[in-house]
Amino acid sequence: MAKQPELDDFRVPYFDGGKKNSKFSLDAFDPAAKPFSTGSKDSDRVRLSAIGAELETLQECLHAQQKRRVLLVLQGMDTSGKDGTIRAVFHDVDPLGLRIVPFKAPTPVEVAHDFLWRVHAQAPAAGELTIFNRSHYEDLLVPTVLGELDAQAFEQRCRHIREFEEMLADSCTTIIKCMLHISKDEQRTRLQARIDDPTKHWKFDLADLDARKQWDAYQSAYRDALAATSTEYAPWYVIPADSKTHRNVMVAELLLRALEALKLEYPPPKESLKGIKVE
Amino acid sequence: MAKQPELDDFRVPYFDGGKKNSKFSLDAFDPAAKPFSTGSKDSDRVRLSAIGAELETLQECLHAQQKRRVLLVLQGMDTSGKDGTIRAVFHDVDPLGLRIVPFKAPTPVEVAHDFLWRVHAQAPAAGELTIFNRSHYEDLLVPTVLGELDAQAFEQRCRHIREFEEMLADSCTTIIKCMLHISKDEQRTRLQARIDDPTKHWKFDLADLDARKQWDAYQSAYRDALAATSTEYAPWYVIPADSKTHRNVMVAELLLRALEALKLEYPPPKESLKGIKVE
């Protein structure tokens, strides 16, 4: 009998202090795999809806406690589905309890600061569930591919990221990082669909095709970045994402498990309110 | 035949330059009225869901254009339903296109700045739909009730607010301001329900009852604030809010009408993408 897949099978091995994490290769993960799919799109949607309801309750509890902070980092190539994941997974979660932070190309003011400056400013507060739509990892990946970051500077940024994330974790922050892993073929299909639909042109820029031309360089940079920054306090997961419904279910399952592990409880009733009659 | 209610009947008359806007009294609005209700809670929910779908489309268009900015300001006494309105009205709107900004009691750093400093920092960007859950109006209402703002300082702040909002409006921002209007009796019922349910105690603080003791002073401050800051570019609406479903439908209708008035259109297709084949 085939082994049931475990979420941990898709976790990038923790950084072990070596310069490279030689146990890890992105090629070992099939972007078209659907290990957490229920088998049909319809029942995936039913499952997602059930998880959504659980997430809503847990998120309210997180908010009520005002202690823990939760940070979900979403990374992936263009069209890998970062926006779509947020839409699908958080459809039923109270918008008051979510904060979604999109990181775009840095502004001149942001560039004038250290690379973690704009990111730290957006770190989750107590009781908050924050989603980074792209993140500080862009500042590792993009300059690497553009040849602006040599190996030593890359290692240094990775170390600073590990230390920054450890500080967040030590400050009651649960961090989950997902790389939405699509195939080059699937990206072609999705990009072409955007080009062929004039009503979608506003989402698209010719420059988007430049990153595609650097596909292998990006995959390699992702591999090195994930290997150097997957830690017990801020693990990376590779999410097979050619199937959108599978991608959504898997990210939702990961988040659900992480929130359940916090054993969140509502604060106890306040004695001071007992028996009070409002006049 | 009774006159059909118009949203404009609930608009606070525009500030006319006089010290008081004598045409306006909150007493003229019955908090228990349901002028925009369809008649049953169930069909109100159906109507809300239909508006939600329209809002979702309009909001995507707003985002695609990246020109207009939209700001919805929600104010009201404790339990008037600011959170509930946001949850209900924006349930179907893409969370990626929303930014919800809660304003709490100002921090020492915020107090150290002028009263519009923290508010301006949260103003909507192009393509954004931003909701202020409480707002700069707290800095008008609370100090007035506490006796920390005399009539002259109150008028001065109102003028600064008008000028600030006019500047936002001149910068492509559509501003809609809603006062969720509940009765003192309805507030008693809602506060008592929170006290009687120990699982809701985390939402409640004994100090919340202090504002209730100042009910009349708050109503009077609201009247004066609304009268002095309802303008063509940033109108105030009084939302009868004892009925939650009515409140939700009315706020949704207001927002829908405001977005429709913008005559949003998707950007035209890009000629540069015509015929491109992705490799």
Side-chain angles (χ1 to χ4, degrees):
Chain A
M1 208 175 92
K3 179 174 167 274
Q4 279 290 98
E6 303 270 355
L7 286 165
D8 281 352
D9 297 339
F10 295 82
R11 201 188 64 215
V12 178
Y14 296 147
F15 176 69
D16 61 3
K19 265 196 117 172
K20 296 275 173 181
N21 190 330
S22 57
K23 288 171 291 186
F24 171 64
S25 163
L26 270 174
D27 297 335
F29 299 91
D30 177 8
K34 298 191 266 186
F36 299 95
S37 172
T38 56
S40 85
K41 282 191 184 188
D42 282 346
S43 46
D44 279 354
R45 287 194 192 101
V46 171
R47 174 73 190 132
L48 189 62
S49 183
I51 301 177
E54 292 187 71
L55 288 177
E56 181 169 23
T57 307
L58 287 163
Q59 180 267 318
E60 191 188 70
C61 209
L62 181 77
H63 174 67
Q65 273 203 334
Q66 292 281 310
K67 281 187 189 160
R68 302 289 320 178
R69 302 129 212 252
V70 178
L71 175 62
L72 174 67
V73 172
L74 293 181
Q75 282 286 156
M77 300 291 286
D78 273 340
T79 76
S80 62
K82 297 176 289 295
D83 288 4
T85 302
I86 296 172
R87 250 180 237 120
V89 175
F90 299 101
H91 185 271
D92 292 323
V93 174
D94 187 350
L96 289 167
L98 276 186
R99 198 159 55 85
I100 301 163
V101 186
F103 287 100
K104 310 220 164 129
T107 65
V109 173
E110 288 170 347
V111 169
H113 291 80
D114 68 87
F115 81 108
L116 291 173
W117 177 76
R118 65 173 185 160
V119 175
H120 202 160
Q122 300 290 355
E128 259 191 7
L129 169 52
T130 301
I131 304 164
F132 281 2
N133 187 353
R134 304 186 187 268
S135 65
H136 42 307
Y137 287 94
E138 292 291 315
D139 299 297
L140 198 53
L141 299 163
V142 178
T144 296
V145 170
L146 298 181
E148 295 164 359
L149 210 61
D150 66 20
Q152 198 187 345
F154 181 91
E155 294 298 332
Q156 192 185 51
R157 284 204 169 186
C158 288
R159 177 165 58 82
H160 290 315
I161 288 177
R162 288 192 302 272
E163 291 167 355
F164 169 66
E165 291 178 347
E166 187 173 14
M167 182 276 298
L168 293 182
D170 284 344
S171 311
C172 299
T173 310
T174 298
I175 306 172
I176 307 151
K177 300 181 294 196
C178 293
M179 188 234 177
L180 307 183
H181 185 43
I182 56 167
S183 65
K184 198 175 176 186
D185 279 350
E186 179 66 20
Q187 192 194 48
R188 181 197 301 112
T189 306
R190 294 184 186 181
L191 286 173
Q192 193 66 56
R194 288 188 186 176
I195 288 172
D196 293 345
D197 180 353
T199 71
K200 297 282 166 65
H201 280 188
W202 60 275
K203 293 186 183 187
F204 199 87
D205 194 273
L206 262 184
D208 294 351
L209 293 176
D210 295 343
R212 177 169 172 82
K213 286 180 192 141
Q214 307 266 35
W215 180 272
D216 291 341
Y218 269 104
Q219 295 292 304
S220 166
Y222 261 109
R223 196 221 80 91
D224 292 348
L226 270 56
T229 59
S230 186
T231 57
E232 199 168 349
Y233 47 82
W236 272 110
Y237 291 86
V238 179
I239 313 290
D242 277 3
S243 156
K244 294 175 185 177
T245 51
H246 170 266
R247 172 199 76 202
N248 297 338
V249 168
M250 187 172 169
V251 173
E253 295 269 13
L254 261 174
L255 189 62
L256 176 61
R257 194 181 54 166
L259 287 172
E260 283 175 344
L262 294 179
K263 303 204 182 307
L264 297 164
E265 281 178 7
Y266 281 93
K270 292 177 182 167
E271 281 301 314
S272 61
L273 295 181
K274 208 171 159 182
I276 295 256
K277 285 288 158 209
V278 181
E279 280 164 26
Chain B
M1 206 176 90
K3 180 173 165 276
Q4 279 289 97
E6 302 271 355
L7 286 165
D8 281 351
D9 298 339
F10 294 82
R11 201 188 64 216
V12 177
Y14 296 146
F15 176 70
D16 59 5
K19 265 194 118 176
K20 296 274 174 183
N21 190 329
S22 57
K23 288 172 290 185
F24 170 63
S25 163
L26 271 175
D27 297 335
F29 298 91
D30 177 7
K34 299 191 269 187
F36 299 93
S37 172
T38 57
S40 85
K41 281 190 186 188
D42 282 345
S43 47
D44 279 352
R45 287 195 194 98
V46 171
R47 174 72 190 135
L48 189 61
S49 183
I51 300 177
E54 291 187 72
L55 289 178
E56 182 169 23
T57 307
L58 287 164
Q59 180 267 318
E60 191 188 69
C61 209
L62 180 78
H63 174 67
Q65 274 202 335
Q66 293 281 310
K67 282 187 189 161
R68 301 290 319 178
R69 303 130 212 251
V70 178
L71 175 61
L72 174 67
V73 173
L74 293 180
Q75 282 286 156
M77 299 292 285
D78 274 340
T79 77
S80 62
K82 297 176 287 295
D83 289 3
T85 301
I86 296 172
R87 248 181 238 119
V89 174
F90 298 100
H91 185 272
D92 290 323
V93 174
D94 186 350
L96 290 167
L98 276 186
R99 198 161 54 87
I100 301 163
V101 186
F103 288 99
K104 309 219 165 129
T107 64
V109 173
E110 289 170 348
V111 169
H113 291 80
D114 69 87
F115 81 107
L116 291 173
W117 178 76
R118 65 175 184 159
V119 175
H120 202 160
Q122 300 290 353
E128 259 190 6
L129 169 52
T130 301
I131 304 164
F132 282 1
N133 187 353
R134 302 188 189 267
S135 66
H136 40 307
Y137 287 95
E138 292 291 313
D139 299 298
L140 197 54
L141 300 163
V142 178
T144 297
V145 170
L146 297 180
E148 295 164 359
L149 210 63
D150 64 22
Q152 198 185 347
F154 181 91
E155 294 299 332
Q156 193 185 53
R157 284 204 169 187
C158 288
R159 175 166 58 81
H160 290 315
I161 288 177
R162 287 193 302 270
E163 290 167 357
F164 169 65
E165 291 178 349
E166 186 172 15
M167 183 275 299
L168 293 181
D170 284 344
S171 311
C172 299
T173 310
T174 299
I175 306 173
I176 308 151
K177 301 181 293 194
C178 295
M179 188 236 176
L180 307 183
H181 185 43
I182 56 167
S183 64
K184 198 175 176 187
D185 279 350
E186 179 66 19
Q187 192 194 48
R188 181 198 299 112
T189 306
R190 294 184 187 182
L191 286 173
Q192 192 67 56
R194 288 188 186 177
I195 288 173
D196 293 345
D197 179 354
T199 70
K200 298 281 167 67
H201 280 188
W202 60 274
K203 293 186 183 185
F204 199 88
D205 194 275
L206 262 185
D208 293 353
L209 295 176
D210 295 344
R212 177 170 172 81
K213 286 179 192 141
Q214 306 266 35
W215 181 273
D216 291 341
Y218 270 104
Q219 295 292 306
S220 165
Y222 261 110
R223 195 219 81 89
D224 291 348
L226 269 57
T229 59
S230 185
T231 57
E232 198 168 350
Y233 47 83
W236 271 110
Y237 292 85
V238 178
I239 313 289
D242 277 3
S243 156
K244 293 175 185 176
T245 50
H246 170 266
R247 171 200 75 200
N248 297 339
V249 168
M250 187 172 169
V251 172
E253 295 270 14
L254 261 175
L255 189 62
L256 177 61
R257 195 181 53 167
L259 287 172
E260 282 175 344
L262 294 178
K263 303 204 183 305
L264 297 164
E265 280 179 9
Y266 281 92
K270 293 178 183 168
E271 281 301 315
S272 61
L273 294 181
K274 206 171 163 184
I276 294 256
K277 285 288 159 210
V278 181
E279 280 167 27

